[in-house]
mmCIF file of all heavy atoms in Angstrom:
data_model
loop_
_atom_site.group_PDB
_atom_site.id
_atom_site.type_symbol
_atom_site.label_atom_id
_atom_site.label_comp_id
_atom_site.label_asym_id
_atom_site.label_seq_id
_atom_site.Cartn_x
_atom_site.Cartn_y
_atom_site.Cartn_z
ATOM 1 N N GLY A 119 -3.889 22.001 -31.750
ATOM 2 C CA GLY A 119 -4.780 22.654 -30.816
ATOM 3 C C GLY A 119 -5.902 21.740 -30.292
ATOM 4 O O GLY A 119 -6.221 21.800 -29.119
ATOM 5 N N LEU A 120 -6.432 20.950 -31.186
ATOM 6 C CA LEU A 120 -7.556 20.159 -30.755
ATOM 7 C C LEU A 120 -7.154 19.150 -29.703
ATOM 8 O O LEU A 120 -7.899 18.916 -28.670
ATOM 9 C CB LEU A 120 -8.118 19.422 -32.015
ATOM 10 C CG LEU A 120 -9.150 18.295 -31.853
ATOM 11 C CD1 LEU A 120 -10.067 18.370 -33.082
ATOM 12 C CD2 LEU A 120 -8.501 16.932 -31.861
ATOM 13 N N ASP A 313 -14.764 17.000 -32.198
ATOM 14 C CA ASP A 313 -14.751 16.968 -33.699
ATOM 15 C C ASP A 313 -15.455 15.728 -34.158
ATOM 16 O O ASP A 313 -16.109 15.044 -33.448
ATOM 17 C CB ASP A 313 -13.334 17.061 -34.251
ATOM 18 C CG ASP A 313 -13.266 17.906 -35.453
ATOM 19 O OD1 ASP A 313 -13.799 17.554 -36.528
ATOM 20 O OD2 ASP A 313 -12.743 19.087 -35.385
ATOM 21 N N HIS A 351 -14.456 22.027 -34.773
ATOM 22 C CA HIS A 351 -13.229 22.725 -34.579
ATOM 23 C C HIS A 351 -12.631 23.396 -35.861
ATOM 24 O O HIS A 351 -11.494 23.797 -35.836
ATOM 25 C CB HIS A 351 -12.124 21.829 -33.994
ATOM 26 C CG HIS A 351 -12.416 21.330 -32.621
ATOM 27 N ND1 HIS A 351 -11.935 22.022 -31.492
ATOM 28 C CD2 HIS A 351 -13.076 20.246 -32.165
ATOM 29 C CE1 HIS A 351 -12.346 21.342 -30.388
ATOM 30 N NE2 HIS A 351 -13.055 20.311 -30.760
ATOM 31 N N LEU A 354 -12.838 24.730 -42.378
ATOM 32 C CA LEU A 354 -12.126 24.443 -43.682
ATOM 33 C C LEU A 354 -12.788 23.226 -44.297
ATOM 34 O O LEU A 354 -12.862 22.147 -43.668
ATOM 35 C CB LEU A 354 -10.723 24.173 -43.459
ATOM 36 C CG LEU A 354 -9.861 25.312 -42.941
ATOM 37 C CD1 LEU A 354 -8.392 24.896 -42.809
ATOM 38 C CD2 LEU A 354 -9.936 26.549 -43.849
ATOM 39 N N ALA A 357 -11.147 19.888 -44.352
ATOM 40 C CA ALA A 357 -10.951 19.214 -43.096
ATOM 41 C C ALA A 357 -12.253 18.570 -42.530
ATOM 42 O O ALA A 357 -12.218 17.885 -41.483
ATOM 43 C CB ALA A 357 -10.323 20.109 -42.057
ATOM 44 N N VAL A 425 -16.018 26.954 -31.142
ATOM 45 C CA VAL A 425 -14.995 27.156 -30.163
ATOM 46 C C VAL A 425 -14.523 28.542 -29.909
ATOM 47 O O VAL A 425 -13.652 28.837 -29.160
ATOM 48 C CB VAL A 425 -13.792 26.169 -30.379
ATOM 49 C CG1 VAL A 425 -14.169 24.748 -30.144
ATOM 50 C CG2 VAL A 425 -13.216 26.387 -31.786
ATOM 51 N N ASN A 454 -12.921 28.503 -26.308
ATOM 52 C CA ASN A 454 -11.829 27.665 -25.801
ATOM 53 C C ASN A 454 -11.129 28.349 -24.599
ATOM 54 O O ASN A 454 -11.306 29.529 -24.404
ATOM 55 C CB ASN A 454 -10.721 27.478 -26.906
ATOM 56 C CG ASN A 454 -11.191 26.369 -27.926
ATOM 57 O OD1 ASN A 454 -10.582 26.222 -28.937
ATOM 58 N ND2 ASN A 454 -12.222 25.632 -27.555
ATOM 59 N N HIS A 541 0.312 25.708 -41.614
ATOM 60 C CA HIS A 541 -0.780 25.597 -42.561
ATOM 61 C C HIS A 541 -0.896 26.863 -43.323
ATOM 62 O O HIS A 541 -0.650 27.919 -42.780
ATOM 63 C CB HIS A 541 -2.077 25.292 -41.797
ATOM 64 C CG HIS A 541 -3.130 24.695 -42.733
ATOM 65 N ND1 HIS A 541 -3.788 25.456 -43.706
ATOM 66 C CD2 HIS A 541 -3.574 23.444 -42.904
ATOM 67 C CE1 HIS A 541 -4.608 24.690 -44.421
ATOM 68 N NE2 HIS A 541 -4.501 23.441 -43.951
ATOM 69 N N TYR A 543 -3.390 28.557 -44.192
ATOM 70 C CA TYR A 543 -4.315 29.679 -43.670
ATOM 71 C C TYR A 543 -3.726 30.323 -42.453
ATOM 72 O O TYR A 543 -4.168 31.461 -42.119
ATOM 73 C CB TYR A 543 -5.724 29.071 -43.368
ATOM 74 C CG TYR A 543 -5.844 28.307 -42.064
ATOM 75 C CD1 TYR A 543 -6.088 29.028 -40.896
ATOM 76 C CD2 TYR A 543 -5.707 26.915 -41.954
ATOM 77 C CE1 TYR A 543 -6.148 28.393 -39.684
ATOM 78 C CE2 TYR A 543 -5.840 26.233 -40.742
ATOM 79 C CZ TYR A 543 -6.100 26.981 -39.611
ATOM 80 O OH TYR A 543 -6.198 26.391 -38.389
ATOM 81 N N GLU A 642 -9.340 30.578 -38.692
ATOM 82 C CA GLU A 642 -8.885 29.958 -37.488
ATOM 83 C C GLU A 642 -10.006 29.816 -36.549
ATOM 84 O O GLU A 642 -10.529 30.881 -36.032
ATOM 85 C CB GLU A 642 -7.719 30.790 -36.862
ATOM 86 C CG GLU A 642 -7.037 30.131 -35.680
ATOM 87 C CD GLU A 642 -6.189 28.900 -36.109
ATOM 88 O OE1 GLU A 642 -6.729 27.800 -36.112
ATOM 89 O OE2 GLU A 642 -4.999 29.142 -36.399
ATOM 90 N N ALA A 643 -10.485 28.631 -36.259
ATOM 91 C CA ALA A 643 -11.699 28.546 -35.429
ATOM 92 C C ALA A 643 -11.555 29.261 -34.107
ATOM 93 O O ALA A 643 -12.423 30.068 -33.751
ATOM 94 C CB ALA A 643 -11.983 27.055 -35.148
ATOM 95 N N SER A 644 -10.484 29.036 -33.401
ATOM 96 C CA SER A 644 -10.319 29.775 -32.197
ATOM 97 C C SER A 644 -8.783 30.130 -31.986
ATOM 98 O O SER A 644 -8.376 31.299 -31.912
ATOM 99 C CB SER A 644 -10.754 28.931 -31.001
ATOM 100 O OG SER A 644 -10.151 29.375 -29.744
ATOM 101 N N GLY A 645 -7.966 29.121 -31.983
ATOM 102 C CA GLY A 645 -6.564 29.317 -31.491
ATOM 103 C C GLY A 645 -6.598 29.159 -30.016
ATOM 104 O O GLY A 645 -7.589 29.529 -29.353
HETATM 105 C C1 26V B 1 -7.283 19.629 -40.158
HETATM 106 C C2 26V B 1 -6.891 19.493 -41.461
HETATM 107 C C3 26V B 1 -6.698 18.134 -42.003
HETATM 108 C C4 26V B 1 -6.633 18.073 -43.530
HETATM 109 C C5 26V B 1 -5.962 19.239 -44.155
HETATM 110 C C6 26V B 1 -6.385 20.564 -43.637
HETATM 111 C C7 26V B 1 -6.718 20.645 -42.244
HETATM 112 C C8 26V B 1 -6.898 21.870 -41.584
HETATM 113 C C9 26V B 1 -7.234 21.961 -40.318
HETATM 114 C C10 26V B 1 -7.489 20.847 -39.519
HETATM 115 C C11 26V B 1 -7.829 21.067 -38.146
HETATM 116 C C12 26V B 1 -8.795 20.066 -37.607
HETATM 117 C C13 26V B 1 -9.395 20.475 -36.324
HETATM 118 C C14 26V B 1 -8.561 21.221 -35.442
HETATM 119 O O1 26V B 1 -7.453 20.801 -34.962
HETATM 120 N N1 26V B 1 -8.988 22.467 -35.147
HETATM 121 C C15 26V B 1 -8.314 23.382 -34.210
HETATM 122 O O2 26V B 1 -8.977 23.250 -32.940
HETATM 123 C C16 26V B 1 -8.472 24.099 -31.947
HETATM 124 C C17 26V B 1 -9.149 23.746 -30.724
HETATM 125 O O3 26V B 1 -10.500 24.075 -30.803
HETATM 126 C C18 26V B 1 -8.614 25.597 -32.372
HETATM 127 O O4 26V B 1 -8.139 26.339 -31.429
HETATM 128 C C19 26V B 1 -7.950 25.788 -33.739
HETATM 129 O O5 26V B 1 -8.259 27.105 -34.184
HETATM 130 C C20 26V B 1 -8.508 24.780 -34.733
HETATM 131 O O6 26V B 1 -7.764 24.899 -35.981
#
Side-chain angles (χ1 to χ4, degrees):
L120 169 145
D313 218 288
H351 294 269
L354 295 180
V425 290
N454 281 166
H541 199 287
Y543 83 82
E642 188 70 271
S644 161

